[in-house]
């Protein structure tokens, strides 16, 4: 199996990279390698499908710029290929006076990022958009929307395959051997030779990176986000997207309500440490992976810093009534009986040994390999922009641009 480029990881970033490479360089032999039997099986296929506007990100930063560019690319792509989506808008809701200054700061950030039409709205205006929300003030964000990222990822793969790309699914990567001018990706189904390896392995991106750059000192921490779903007879309580003002002392957005493009309303997610990297249930447990997380100095620093918030999140994981109380800050009418347990996703968070959470896209390169070691939210929205960036780096490695 000989290729120009082998991309490890059939999530949305790896597939967007394959799509961009095959579009920019027709005839390039590209393989997408993944241990799973299908594409978008992990982070991509288990998120809530929100099209992010970029309102939260530091102006001028990589996340803000990639989100803005990727947002435009994504909507153009969805329209061109008939992928269902809805730019429905969202409200970010302050329910207490102490949240209003943070809400105002978010508004200024969004305006600095060039979001037209975002504005502060009153309680009454918020009620016109989401009649059941409790708010003293809110931000209206017309750019936010919903889509199926699994459908987007599948279309990326289909189009790449139409241009000589290939999907090598069910191939677990065991090792990578880099030699001048050639790399060998060793899998349990045989060796794959290529001129360039691109690592987009998501929850295992650190493990794959360390096969070629053992000096890398970061670790992926898996955080599970669990969802409930509103019963059909209660879906009238939510029109589109309802978010709280984020807690500035915790690196997650907080539980919120999301209308899904395929129907239904999700409520969540919380954020709890997963007991294995692909642990989608409270009962998924891998002793070796859990010990690896708990013994990592960076995680221990985070645990010391966020232990109160972490315990609250864990409590909500096991207590439905506690989860409901968090949701009632947004919609007081919600009751325990209105919700049924839904799915879950696992978010890959890259962490340094000093406990620093790497909150931006991280690319580490050497001859023969590009490692995408961190692609946090809004990576799905920004996937075509990230894929374009990685494809550009790849063509430089191959001396094709």
């Amino acid at each position: 199996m000989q290729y120009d480029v082998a991309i490890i990881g059939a999530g949305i970033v790896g597939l967007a990279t394959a799509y961009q490479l095959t579009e920019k360089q027709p005839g390039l032999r590209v393989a997408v390698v993944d241990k799973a039997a299908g594409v978008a099986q992990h982070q991509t296929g288990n998120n809530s499908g929100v099209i992010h506007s970029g309102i939260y990100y530091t102006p001028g930063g990589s996340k803000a710029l990639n989100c803005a560019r990727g947002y435009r690319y994504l909507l153009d792509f969805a329209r061109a290929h008939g992928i269902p989506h809805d730019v429905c808008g969202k409200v970010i809701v302050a329910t207490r006076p102490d949240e209003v200054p943070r809400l105002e700061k978010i508004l200024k950030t969004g305006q600095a990022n060039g979001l037209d039409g975002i504005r502060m709205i009153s309680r009454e205006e918020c009620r016109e958009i989401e009649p059941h929300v409790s708010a003293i003030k809110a931000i209206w964000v017309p750019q936010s929307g919903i889509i199926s990222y699994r459908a987007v990822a599948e279309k990326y793969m289909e189009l790449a395959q139409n241009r000589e790309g290939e999907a090598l699914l069910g191939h677990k990567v065991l090792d990578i051997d880099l030699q001048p001018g050639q790399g060998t990706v060793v899998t349990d189904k045989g060796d794959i030779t290529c001129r360039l390896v691109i690592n987009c392995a998501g929850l295992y991106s650190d493990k794959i990176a360390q096969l070629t750059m053992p000096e890398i000192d970061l670790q992926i921490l898996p955080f599970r986000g669990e969802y409930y779903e509103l019963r059909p007879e209660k879906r009238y309580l939510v029109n589109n997207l309802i978010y709280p003002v984020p807690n500035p002392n915790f690196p997650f957005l907080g539980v919120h309500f999301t209308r899904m493009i395929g129907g239904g309303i999700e409520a969540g997610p919380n954020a709890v440490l997963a007991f294995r990297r692909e642990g989608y249930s409270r009962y998924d447990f891998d002793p070796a992976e859990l010990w690896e997380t708990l013994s990592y100095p960076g995680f221990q620093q985070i645990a010391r810093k966020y232990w109160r918030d972490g315990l609250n999140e864990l409590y909500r994981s096991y207590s439905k009534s506690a989860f409901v109380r968090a949701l009632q800050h947004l919609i007081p009418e919600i009751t325990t009986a209105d919700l049924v347990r839904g799915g879950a996703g696992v978010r890959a968070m890259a962490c340094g040994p000093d406990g620093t959470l790497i909150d931006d896209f991280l690319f580490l390169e050497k001859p023969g390999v590009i490692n995408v070691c961190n692609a946090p939210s809004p990576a799905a929205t920004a996937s075509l922009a990230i894929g374009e960036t990685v494809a550009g780096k790849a063509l430089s490695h191959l001396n094709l641009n």
Side-chain angles (χ1 to χ4, degrees), residues 16 18 48-49 55 58 96 98 109 117 126 141 150 160 201 236 253 264 267 300 312 317 348 363 365 367 380 390 395:
S48 57
I55 192 171
T58 302
R96 305 189 311 266
D98 64 293
T109 299
C126 185
V141 188
R150 186 184 294 272
Y236 71 89
L253 289 178
Q300 293 170 4
N312 286 334
S317 176
F363 309 107
E365 305 173 59
V390 179
L395 295 177

Side-chain angles (χ1 to χ4, degrees), residues 245-261:
V245 177
N247 178 354
N249 299 315
F250 197 55
F252 300 97
L253 289 178
V255 293
H256 47 268
F257 293 94
T258 306
R259 178 167 64 86
M260 296 178 288
I261 196 66

Side-chain angles (χ1 to χ4, degrees), residues 93-106 135-137 244-249 329:
V93 175
T95 60
R96 305 189 311 266
D98 64 293
E99 293 178 330
V100 173
R102 284 185 268 148
L103 196 67
E104 292 170 343
K105 184 177 179 181
I106 291 169
I136 57 175
K137 275 192 176 181
V245 177
N247 178 354
N249 299 315
H329 287 292

